[in-house]
Amino acid sequence: MVQTKKLRKAVFPVAGLGTRFLPATKAVPKEMLTVVDKPVIQYVVDEAIEAGIEHFVFVTGRGKAVIEDYFDIQFELEQTLKARNKNAELSLLDSLQPTAGQTSFTRQQEPLGLGHAVWCARDIVGHEPFALLLPDMIMRGEKACLKGMVELYEKTGGNIVAVEECAPDQAHKYGIVGVGDALEGGFKITQMVEKPAKGTAPSNFFINGRYILQPEIFEILSTQERGAGNEIQLTDGMLKLAQNQDFAGYHFRGQTFDCGSKDGFILANVAFAIERSDIRPAIEDNLKALLAALK
């Protein structure tokens, strides 16, 4: 067992404008759009909690105050529920409520890219490893993605990137990693390429939006030049960090839904709804009818 510093904190970059969901996101942050009856961001935070994360760091922007309100106590709502003896609803809210001091919020004043958003969390994270979870991506599998990553991290130390397999002819759409020596639950990463040209990808393993990173990434990002899209790219920073530190890929076996896209968001709602015993009986026949009508 490698001696590693305990993973306590997770960063959630939630400053994005959500332009792909306009007009809905004109007033409602995309992270607060609901998959069935929970906001997307709640699924991602739940994944972090299951992995043992103790402190949740949100990198926000203008118009995102409702996210902070969501993770706070709403006195009027709770008093109303108590007065109406809505005990099940009270218990649900209590189970989702972080404890005092468990959440932190910092602002990314300009949309300068994912690398810049991560850098904005530097003083809250401090000099310790941290998880990074992209809030658009929600997952389901026999084992939660970040939990599996933490198990690998405790064996290997260093930096961990979650990956999934895609069809080889689709690799040009993603950030792709090179596959090195096998590890229990994953493999050593030999290279990282952002959207490689068709036919040049080193593998068909793509980065799916979950990371465990060492704090030295902050110093790199502080002087990182702008890359693709004129933004400070996290991948560029990780490539520099990989010159001195090991990276491993955790092979996540499950489904990932990109709720930052309309199709991924709709599929997530359907997938999570049919898993619910209280909802599936009411919608199953209607879904089958809708699918039959497409033929």
Side-chain angles (χ1 to χ4, degrees):
M1 184 72 72
V2 175
Q3 292 295 317
T4 60
K5 197 166 185 179
K6 179 176 170 57
L7 189 73
R8 300 176 48 250
K9 298 179 181 178
V11 174
F12 306 85
V14 294
L17 297 175
T19 54
R20 288 184 287 178
F21 275 93
L22 287 171
T25 49
K26 181 180 179 181
V28 179
K30 62 177 181 176
E31 296 84 7
M32 293 301 297
L33 298 177
T34 56
V35 170
V36 188
D37 54 4
K38 291 197 299 187
V40 171
I41 189 62
Q42 183 68 62
Y43 288 90
V44 184
V45 169
D46 287 347
E47 181 184 335
I49 292 172
E50 186 175 352
I53 296 298
E54 302 169 2
H55 193 155
F56 312 98
V57 183
F58 298 89
V59 182
T60 70
R62 286 182 294 277
K64 299 297 182 107
V66 67
I67 297 175
E68 188 168 353
D69 291 338
Y70 173 78
F71 287 104
D72 200 358
I73 292 173
Q74 294 201 10
F75 178 79
E76 295 84 355
L77 172 61
E78 294 191 5
Q79 289 301 307
T80 300
L81 292 174
K82 287 178 182 177
R84 297 177 180 177
N85 293 318
K86 299 285 188 178
N87 295 321
E89 289 82 355
L90 280 167
S91 296
L92 173 63
L93 293 179
D94 184 65
S95 69
L96 299 176
Q97 180 65 51
T99 59
Q102 200 174 18
T103 57
S104 296
F105 297 83
T106 187
R107 282 287 186 101
Q108 181 187 22
Q109 283 85 356
E110 297 179 80
L112 297 180
L114 178 59
H116 181 259
V118 172
W119 179 76
C120 289
R122 64 199 183 282
D123 288 337
I124 300 174
V125 172
H127 196 74
E128 58 183 283
F130 64 98
L132 170 65
L133 298 92
L134 301 193
D136 290 343
M137 316 302 285
I138 62 174
M139 304 171 180
R140 64 175 188 173
E142 291 187 7
K143 179 180 292 185
C145 185
L146 188 60
K147 183 176 182 180
M149 294 173 68
V150 170
E151 291 174 357
L152 179 58
Y153 168 73
E154 289 173 346
K155 296 172 184 174
T156 66
N159 303 272
I160 311 291
V161 178
V163 296
E164 296 179 45
E165 291 183 86
C166 66
D169 62 355
Q170 298 296 305
H172 65 282
K173 297 180 178 180
Y174 304 101
I176 300 293
V177 302
V179 178
D181 294 340
L183 301 167
E184 185 179 348
F187 52 82
K188 292 184 177 180
I189 289 177
T190 59
Q191 58 180 309
M192 290 177 276
V193 185
E194 188 65 33
K195 295 183 179 179
K198 286 187 176 182
T200 67
S203 76
N204 65 327
F205 282 97
F206 69 93
I207 300 171
N208 72 1
R210 298 290 187 268
Y211 312 79
I212 295 174
L213 298 171
Q214 295 298 318
E216 286 77 14
I217 191 70
F218 293 123
E219 183 177 354
I220 292 172
L221 292 173
S222 68
T223 58
Q224 181 69 50
E225 295 181 357
R226 298 192 188 193
N230 199 32
E231 296 180 337
I232 298 172
Q233 297 292 338
L234 179 65
T235 302
D236 294 339
M238 291 195 300
L239 287 170
K240 289 185 179 178
L241 185 60
Q243 295 174 9
N244 299 303
Q245 293 187 7
D246 291 335
F247 273 75
Y250 169 71
H251 187 185
F252 174 63
R253 293 172 171 85
Q255 285 182 293
T256 297
F257 300 93
D258 180 2
C259 291
S261 66
K262 294 182 180 71
D263 56 339
F265 178 73
I266 293 167
L267 288 171
N269 269 279
V270 174
F272 281 88
I274 62 177
E275 282 188 339
R276 292 269 297 266
S277 60
D278 60 329
I279 297 176
R280 179 167 180 161
I283 66 170
E284 187 172 9
D285 289 342
N286 288 327
L287 285 174
K288 290 178 180 177
L290 286 171
L291 290 172
L294 295 176
K295 296 179 181 179

